[in-house]
Amino acid sequence: MKAATTMLLLTTSARALRPAARRLRYRRFHYQSGGKSSAGTAAAAVGCFAASAAYALGDEAEDGAWAGVLDTKTTGAAALKQRVPEGDGRGIVVAILDTGVDPAAAGLQTTTTGAPKMLDVLDATGAGDVDVNATVTPDADGWLTNPATGRKLRVDATAWTVDGKRCEGPKDGAYRVGGKRTASLFPAPLLRRLKAEAQRLDDENYEPLRAALAAQASEGDEAAARLEAFDAARKALKPTDSSVAPLLDVITWRDGATDAWRCVAVDGSAQNDLVAHPPRVLGDFGEATKAGETSSRYTCFGADDMQLTLSASSPDAFSEENTCSLVVAGGDHGTHVAGIVGAHNGRDRDDGVAPGCQLVSIKIGDSRVGTMETGSSLRRALVAARRLKVDVVNLSYGEAARLCNTGRFAELSERLVRGHADHGTIFISSAGNNGPALTTVGAPGASVDALISVGAYVNGNMCDNLYGMRAPAANAGGPESATHGGVMYSFSSRGPATDGGCGVNVAAPGGAVA
């Protein structure tokens, strides 16, 4: 394929890229990755083609202190941007299947054309699901009782606003309500921090009493028994996830004027008069983005040094009647990957590989089990990706597997990639971090033929800048001598797959700053 044709393909649909992407399975190209893994692998859809164009045109590797850290020249992204300014991923939608992406993160607000960077934010794990089957109508003074929490709340949608415009209440006057314990939403580090803080406060309050009991313990068996009982009670009252995470009241309705889905999520125990103290009104993130709304897409809460971003999805997101979803990222890995793929900060060095692309975040890492993926979360994610007709899917998750092309996930992946007559998706996945032995590639990267599996690579610049080691000897002459002088990371999984397949299709720089 000629270089000019390759670069033009970057501005077309992913369907046009699919045949060329398949041919990449048996060639080695390079694109920017992240962390000490194959994170950010969706960049292959743009970066690999950028690399092939750059190599064909004889580009050299980047010089300077940043050459092996944010190595955009090795990936070919910088050369492509110079020659074809529109070749930045614009028109391409990338789904990030990960721990969730923070839509408030810097660099993930707009594309190079000014369009919204984040098109939708979904939680496929079920951790954020809220049952809003209960229907309640406020009394004459606006008070209602939420049966899910037992709290009395004063509500009036006409007292609340979206982007400064007053909302309308439901046409029939009835709100759908539910409750949500935030322990299933909060990331594990936050829960640990909250429990430690609660324990510290308890210790400060109870230590004087325990000291007094300890002083009396030597006076007799009764005093010693009181101290023992006190210590047992303190142990039983040790802070838990549920005790430190607030229970939210969730109120939903359809706006009587626009029919837009609306949601309010508040801690009713802290403030129950929502007319005197108007809350932030959320909408379905995807629909709000389409409508050009701003304030209803997400809200931030928490201390400045540990803020979380909360967004919402209507029951239509996964076609589950009377079940909406509150979405909070389970960790920073998904945001890290999204930044590598498509961050746009207005400065070339700080941009991702495809700053013009748009992103869809689909959370598959369940916060309830340490952000581990589950079979149901993967299935729901693929169904959502197909419904949204994304062009590229990035999955930087994986685990060991012995069977290839077997099971529901493989079936859904094939359906997503082969697509309909008018659309197909490029599906990129990490090869795994279980190397260097042979046949250590994991699922799903190596176990599903529809996916392109990516391993982690150390090029010459990275050897020098990141590790202070001598670069491996490069091939003499030719374009490979400039950028291919490197080796696979020791941790990166190797092929072949257990069925004899290639296992690792693409090698990518395995360390970056995002």
Side-chain angles (χ1 to χ4, degrees), residues 12 84 95 107 123 142 244 306 333 335-336 368 370 395 401 419 446:
T12 65
V84 183
D123 183 353
V244 300
M306 193 66 170
H333 187 265
T335 305
H336 168 73
R368 298 168 294 185
L395 177 61

Side-chain angles (χ1 to χ4, degrees), residues 126-134 145-151 153 176-185 246-252 263-268 322-326:
D129 287 359
V130 184
D131 183 351
V132 288
N133 190 54
T145 299
N146 184 349
T149 64
R151 297 169 181 159
L153 306 167
R176 290 192 173 275
V177 298
K180 186 62 182 178
R181 181 68 70 179
T182 50
S184 64
L185 295 176
L247 174 63
L248 298 182
D249 289 278
V250 181
I251 306 165
T252 71
C263 172
V264 167
V266 297
D267 181 359
N322 300 329
T323 301
C324 68
S325 181
L326 300 180

Side-chain angles (χ1 to χ4, degrees), residues 355-379:
C357 77
Q358 292 179 295
L359 302 175
V360 171
S361 169
I362 307 180
K363 181 181 175 181
I364 61 163
D366 196 324
S367 299
R368 298 168 294 185
V369 287
T371 67
M372 182 177 70
E373 82 282 9
T374 63
S376 61
S377 69
L378 288 170
R379 291 192 297 270

Side-chain angles (χ1 to χ4, degrees), residues 165-512:
K165 298 179 181 178
R166 192 173 300 277
C167 297
E168 293 292 336
K171 291 181 179 179
D172 61 358
Y175 295 85
R176 290 192 173 275
V177 298
K180 186 62 182 178
R181 181 68 70 179
T182 50
S184 64
L185 295 176
F186 287 174
L190 175 58
L191 288 173
R192 290 194 295 268
R193 173 176 170 174
L194 291 174
K195 288 188 289 187
E197 179 64 14
Q199 186 68 60
R200 183 186 66 79
L201 293 175
D202 284 353
D203 291 343
E204 289 180 357
N205 292 329
Y206 287 107
E207 191 57 37
L209 178 56
R210 190 189 187 285
L213 289 173
Q216 300 172 7
S218 61
E219 298 178 4
D221 293 340
E222 183 178 347
R226 285 199 300 268
L227 177 59
E228 184 178 349
F230 178 84
D231 287 340
R234 289 283 293 115
K235 185 176 182 180
L237 293 174
K238 185 176 181 179
T240 64
D241 289 353
S242 296
S243 69
V244 300
L247 174 63
L248 298 182
D249 289 278
V250 181
I251 306 165
T252 71
W253 75 100
R254 288 280 178 182
D255 190 290
T258 64
D259 199 42
W261 181 83
R262 300 299 186 194
C263 172
V264 167
V266 297
D267 181 359
S269 66
Q271 181 54 255
N272 67 343
D273 189 344
L274 306 183
V275 177
H277 303 276
R280 172 70 72 91
V281 177
L282 297 174
D284 178 272
F285 189 99
E287 294 302 319
T289 301
K290 288 180 183 178
E293 296 177 356
T294 302
S295 69
S296 64
R297 296 174 77 218
Y298 60 82
T299 184
C300 298
F301 63 96
D304 291 340
D305 60 341
M306 193 66 170
Q307 279 209 336
L308 292 180
T309 305
L310 173 71
S311 57
S313 299
S314 73
D316 297 335
F318 291 101
S319 302
E320 297 179 359
E321 188 177 4
N322 300 329
T323 301
C324 68
S325 181
L326 300 180
V327 188
V328 176
D332 57 8
H333 187 265
T335 305
H336 168 73
V337 170
I340 294 171
V341 173
H344 173 56
N345 292 284
R347 301 177 298 274
D348 288 349
R349 180 169 290 171
D350 297 334
D351 281 354
V353 172
C357 77
Q358 292 179 295
L359 302 175
V360 171
S361 169
I362 307 180
K363 181 181 175 181
I364 61 163
D366 196 324
S367 299
R368 298 168 294 185
V369 287
T371 67
M372 182 177 70
E373 82 282 9
T374 63
S376 61
S377 69
L378 288 170
R379 291 192 297 270
R380 293 177 85 196
L382 294 189
V383 170
R386 193 176 186 206
R387 173 178 62 83
L388 295 170
K389 292 188 176 181
V390 301
D391 300 301
V392 181
V393 170
N394 175 88
L395 177 61
S396 293
Y397 267 62
E399 57 191 41
R402 298 179 64 184
L403 300 178
C404 296
N405 299 305
T406 302
R408 181 63 171 161
F409 178 83
E411 177 186 337
L412 291 174
S413 299
E414 285 285 342
R415 190 178 301 174
L416 179 66
V417 172
R418 310 308 172 193
H420 302 288
D422 62 341
H423 193 83
T425 298
I426 298 174
F427 198 156
I428 315 292
S429 179
S430 56
N433 298 340
N434 297 316
L438 296 177
T439 313
T440 50
V441 288
S447 65
V448 181
D449 286 344
L451 277 62
I452 296 176
S453 176
V454 184
Y457 171 81
V458 190
N459 64 28
N461 285 330
M462 290 168 63
C463 288
D464 181 36
N465 285 275
L466 294 183
Y467 304 106
M469 60 184 284
R470 292 185 61 186
N475 295 333
E480 288 195 351
S481 62
T483 53
H484 286 204
V487 296
M488 296 292 287
Y489 266 106
S490 60
F491 67 80
S492 187
S493 295
R494 280 20 177 216
T498 55
D499 66 348
C502 181
V504 180
N505 308 120
V506 179

